Amino acid sequence: MGKLMYSCEQASMLSSRAMDEPLAPLERIQLRFHLMMCTGCTSFSHQIAFLRRASQKVPEALETDEDSRADEPRSRG
Amino acid sequence: MEEELAKSLDSHRKYLLRYALFQLRDPSLAEDAVQDTLIAALTHGDAFEGRSQLRTWLIAILKHKVIDQIRKRNRGLPADALSLGEEDESADSSFNTRGRWVDPPADWGLPDAALESKQFWRVYQECCRRMSKRHAMIFSMREVMEISAEEICKKLEISTSNLHVILYRARLSLRSCVTKNWFGAEHG
C-alpha cells in the first residue's frame, strides 16, 4: 500500500469490499480521496449499492401474476 | 388447523420454488430444497402464529435448506472448486493496463424507478444468468439471501480474499450488463 493514490481498478475493488466488511481507516480515507476526484468510480459505488437494493427485492420481484392470485382467498364461507 | 396450514403452504410452493431455482439453477435441487422447507414448516407448524408473515418465515427456512443443498452438491467436488478460477485471474476488460476504466461508469440517475418495471427484472435475471454459475451463486448468497461474508466463507470453505474477488467480479459483470441492457439502452 505504498502508493498514495489508488487506480480506478483498486478503488472500485475497495468500494466492493466495503460492502462486505469494514475497511481499515487508511483505506477508507484513500478511497474517499479517490472518489472525490473520480466520477466513474463514484458512479460505480452508487451502482453496486443499487444492485444490492435490487437483489434484496428479488424474492418479491420474481412473483408472477399467477403467484399473487394463489395468495387470494379462493372463495368466501 | 393442520389442513389449513397445508393448504396455504401449497399456495407458496411456486414462489419458494422460484426463489430456490434462482439460487440453485437446478430444478431438482430446487425442488428438494422446497420440499425440505415445507416438511420443516409442517413439522413446526404450531410454532408459527399468524398467516401474514408465513412467506417470510418460509423464506427463512428455505435459506437454510438452500445452503444445505449447495453444501451437499459441493461435497462431490474438489476442495477448491469454489475458490478462484481462471476467469478471476485473467485481467478484467473493464480496465486498461494502468488500472483506468476503459469505459467509465456513467451516472444512472435515479435508478430505483427501474425496480417497478417488469422489463427491468427480466434484464436483471438474464444478466445474472450470464455470470458463471459460481459467481452467480455466491453473489446471490450475499446479495439476495443476505448472508454475511463471514458465514459464506465458512459454509463454502473459501478464503475471505477469494470471496472479495468473486463478489467484485460478479458486481462488475452485473453492473456492466445492466448498463448495456437497461440504463444505457432504450427501453420501456
Side-chain angles (χ1 to χ4, degrees):
Chain A
M1 206 104 311
K3 276 206 319 199
L4 185 67
M5 287 292 295
Y6 283 139
S7 70
C8 291
E9 190 168 12
Q10 289 170 310
S12 59
M13 210 180 287
L14 223 59
S15 296
S16 171
R17 181 147 71 77
M19 297 181 74
D20 304 310
E21 68 174 25
L23 300 179
L26 184 61
E27 288 174 324
R28 225 170 27 232
I29 293 166
Q30 281 175 295
L31 176 61
R32 274 252 295 273
F33 191 57
H34 181 100
L35 292 181
M36 263 164 53
M37 297 176 306
C38 180
T39 55
C41 286
T42 302
S43 293
F44 178 80
S45 73
H46 290 161
Q47 289 165 4
I48 58 176
F50 165 75
L51 291 173
R52 166 167 288 177
R53 288 202 296 286
S55 300
Q56 290 172 351
K57 289 214 158 84
V58 159
E60 285 76 42
L62 293 183
E63 196 166 13
T64 64
D65 301 345
E66 200 185 341
D67 285 320
S68 47
R69 265 201 302 280
D71 259 355
E72 288 165 15
R74 269 158 223 159
S75 63
R76 282 180 209 192
Chain B
M1 166 62 208
E2 227 165 77
E3 198 178 313
E4 206 171 291
L5 180 66
K7 215 189 233 172
S8 56
L9 285 181
D10 190 53
S11 76
H12 291 293
R13 224 190 117 265
K14 252 190 202 152
Y15 174 82
L16 295 175
L17 196 57
R18 237 178 234 119
Y19 187 101
L21 199 56
F22 182 83
Q23 181 65 48
L24 292 166
R25 292 191 182 189
D26 180 317
S28 68
L29 290 183
E31 193 77 59
D32 286 351
V34 171
Q35 237 164 60
D36 292 351
T37 301
L38 296 178
I39 290 167
L42 276 172
T43 317
H44 304 288
D46 45 344
F48 178 75
E49 288 166 27
R51 188 173 168 332
S52 62
Q53 300 298 315
L54 180 56
R55 184 167 283 185
T56 315
W57 181 59
L58 290 172
I59 292 287
I61 301 174
L62 182 65
K63 281 184 191 181
H64 292 283
K65 302 299 174 193
V66 164
I67 293 173
D68 286 349
Q69 287 298 333
I70 291 172
R71 289 167 57 120
K72 229 185 268 175
R73 184 170 57 182
N74 289 343
R75 224 165 278 155
L77 299 174
D80 62 348
L82 286 167
S83 296
L84 289 187
E86 275 168 40
E87 73 216 272
D88 306 303
E89 307 282 3
S90 64
D92 192 278
S93 58
S94 304
F95 301 96
N96 66 21
T97 49
R98 297 178 57 212
R100 293 236 176 100
W101 292 103
V102 172
D103 186 10
D107 194 0
W108 280 355
L110 299 168
D112 290 74
L115 300 177
E116 307 301 322
S117 159
K118 277 192 181 162
Q119 233 182 311
F120 168 78
W121 286 108
R122 246 170 267 142
V123 169
Y124 174 96
Q125 257 187 301
E126 179 54 34
C127 287
C128 285
R129 251 181 238 131
R130 284 188 205 174
M131 284 184 210
S132 77
K133 223 175 184 171
R134 193 171 54 102
H135 282 193
M137 180 187 79
I138 293 176
F139 174 82
S140 110
M141 281 179 91
R142 178 78 188 105
E143 305 291 51
V144 179
M145 308 211 311
E146 301 178 58
I147 301 170
S148 75
E150 201 187 344
E151 202 181 340
I152 295 175
C153 289
K154 213 161 61 192
K155 292 259 153 75
L156 300 184
E157 293 170 33
I158 59 176
S159 72
T160 316
S161 59
N162 274 0
L163 179 74
H164 289 149
V165 175
I166 291 166
L167 287 173
Y168 174 57
R169 297 289 186 208
R171 286 170 181 143
L172 269 179
S173 128
L174 183 58
R175 188 211 75 81
S176 124
C177 179
V178 168
T179 299
K180 211 176 295 163
N181 296 289
W182 185 263
F183 291 105
E186 298 263 330
H187 57 74

